[in-house]
Amino acid sequence: LAYLYRQLGAATRAGSKGLCGCLTLLQAWIYEYFPLFRPSQLPQSPDAPRASSWISPCLPGGDEARQRLARYRQLLDELSADDVTWTPYGRDGHTDIPRSLYTGPIRFSDIAEGYDPSLCLRQFGYRQIIPRAMTVPHDQYRPASGSSYIVFWDPWVNQLWDNVAARRLDLDFASRPCKQPSEIVEEYVDWFLTRSHPRITHPTDGEPQPRPQLVHQVSYDFLLLFQI
């Protein structure tokens, strides 16, 4: 997961043309949360890996692939909160897997990336708040162009993963259970829009894109999930 996070960060750099890491994990995550993009699924026993139930389609390339990409982008831009399965593992999934609430850096070899469940409280059945400040690297070098960057962490971060009990987010202290799956605090929208793009497709007419409105549920705020 740490390596995938690093590669997702590298893929956002200008000039990047590919993505490494465990893409099966990313693909299965997308299927779990976004029903519009799910392929067919096979029945399986509860003990089998969840990802093995999805039947990956054999898709053609060329012009048809480009058209499909454009269609996927359109679907993403049109997504509403009702199009997201916020708790695919149930509202109590974190009780079965306590490490889901670990907060702090996760490591793989010389790679360390931040992990903070307060970024996605709705997947635990809790109201989304503005996330707290994360543990930050000691230093970093991220060029404006190019896919490679280097992050330096203090040595003590190596010990955090081994002390999950002390590094576990207290959900009841951080927020409160949702009354509806996509519930957020009102000020979250303004915070979110300063840190992400509400749409994927670039406007072609030069007109400003309309701001997502907070009515019953917020459209487009699903993009925060991609900060896994």
Side-chain angles (χ1 to χ4, degrees):
L1 186 60
Y3 183 67
L4 177 59
Y5 281 5
R6 175 62 59 87
Q7 291 303 315
L8 287 171
T12 66
R13 303 288 90 186
S16 295
K17 298 181 180 179
L19 177 63
C20 297
C22 184
L23 301 188
T24 300
L25 172 61
L26 177 62
Q27 191 173 19
W29 177 86
I30 293 171
Y31 293 162
E32 294 281 1
Y33 284 90
F34 303 102
L36 287 176
F37 304 98
R38 289 174 182 169
S40 300
Q41 191 174 20
L42 292 172
Q44 62 176 177
S45 67
D47 297 330
R50 293 177 67 104
S52 65
S53 67
W54 302 108
I55 305 174
S56 296
C58 182
L59 300 174
D63 290 340
E64 188 172 341
R66 286 187 286 272
Q67 293 173 6
R68 186 173 63 255
L69 175 60
R71 175 57 178 161
Y72 284 168
R73 287 173 174 170
Q74 181 183 358
L75 287 173
L76 287 169
D77 285 344
E78 294 173 352
L79 273 180
S80 71
D82 291 329
D83 295 316
V84 179
T85 302
W86 295 100
T87 54
Y89 312 111
R91 295 178 68 94
D92 298 320
H94 54 282
T95 61
D96 297 328
I97 307 177
R99 283 187 185 269
S100 300
L101 296 179
Y102 166 82
T103 177
I106 54 177
R107 291 190 63 93
F108 170 71
S109 185
D110 61 338
I111 294 173
E113 291 290 322
Y115 182 90
D116 187 356
S118 70
L119 288 167
C120 47
L121 290 174
R122 285 166 290 186
Q123 73 174 354
F124 304 114
Y126 278 70
R127 181 181 61 166
Q128 183 61 55
I129 61 173
I130 295 176
R132 58 186 183 174
M134 294 183 63
T135 303
V136 297
H138 172 70
D139 197 7
Q140 58 187 342
Y141 171 67
R142 303 194 183 201
S145 61
S147 61
S148 63
Y149 61 90
I150 303 173
V151 181
F152 302 96
W153 294 87
D154 289 321
W156 55 266
V157 304
N158 295 332
Q159 306 170 12
L160 298 182
W161 178 252
D162 296 325
N163 193 7
V164 174
R167 299 292 304 180
R168 191 170 185 265
L169 177 68
D170 187 334
L171 285 175
D172 292 319
F173 179 79
S175 185
R176 62 173 174 78
C178 288
K179 294 182 179 179
Q180 50 194 0
S182 60
E183 188 178 354
I184 63 173
V185 295
E186 186 172 357
E187 59 269 21
Y188 171 75
V189 177
D190 291 330
W191 176 89
F192 173 77
L193 291 177
T194 63
R195 290 162 173 80
S196 188
H197 301 284
R199 290 186 174 89
I200 294 176
T201 305
H202 191 278
T204 56
D205 56 6
E207 295 294 328
Q209 298 186 44
R211 181 189 182 94
Q213 298 296 311
L214 180 65
V215 185
H216 174 63
Q217 294 173 325
V218 178
S219 299
Y220 312 116
D221 62 344
F222 72 96
L223 289 177
L224 184 63
L225 289 172
F226 286 100
Q227 301 178 22
I228 316 181

